[in-house]
Amino acid sequence: MGKPGILRWIFVFAALFFLWPTGAFAKEKVYHIPIDHEIDQGVLQFLKRSFQEATENKARAIILELHTPGGYVDVAYDIGKLMDETPTKIIAFINSRALSAGAYLALHADEIYMTPNATMGGGANY
């Protein structure tokens, strides 16, 4: 397993540790939602279903793992609005890059975490 893979698991376990209620086992949930391709209408529909499921199941948090070159600005706007309207805490985890529309999504999260050498921004020069 390479360094990015190890860092991903360290982050997931650390998030679970800090979000885990003391003395309780499996009573609260944390949803991990990876986005590892271009932001498009399919991602919007996937996130609508995922966020709804997390909210219905009373998840304590959603970890939105971003590894994306960007995508459609209009779709990113709709996803940002969806994130703002979702009552569940959303944590953006940038595994390697969140460019353009991916950066926009990260900025709509409640918290942002990045691996060392991860990139977040808006240009094609990355």
Side-chain angles (χ1 to χ4, degrees), residues 44-123:
L44 173 60
Q45 297 308 315
F46 169 67
L47 290 177
K48 281 182 180 178
R49 291 188 308 271
S50 299
F51 288 3
Q52 181 179 0
E53 180 181 329
T55 301
E56 288 173 356
N57 287 315
K58 297 177 178 43
R60 180 151 185 194
I62 296 169
I63 299 173
L64 190 61
E65 182 177 351
L66 298 167
H67 174 75
T68 178
Y72 294 93
V73 176
D74 58 334
V75 176
Y77 174 82
D78 292 340
I79 294 172
K81 186 176 177 184
L82 173 68
M83 292 172 71
D84 292 342
E85 294 170 352
T86 299
T88 305
K89 180 179 184 176
I90 299 175
I91 300 168
F93 172 55
I94 302 170
N95 191 9
S96 63
R97 63 185 179 154
L99 304 180
S100 187
Y104 183 81
L105 298 185
L107 292 172
H108 279 272
D110 299 304
E111 297 177 19
I112 301 174
Y113 295 90
M114 301 171 72
T115 60
N117 300 319
T119 303
M120 178 177 156

Side-chain angles (χ1 to χ4, degrees), residues 22 29 124:
T22 306
K29 297 175 178 72

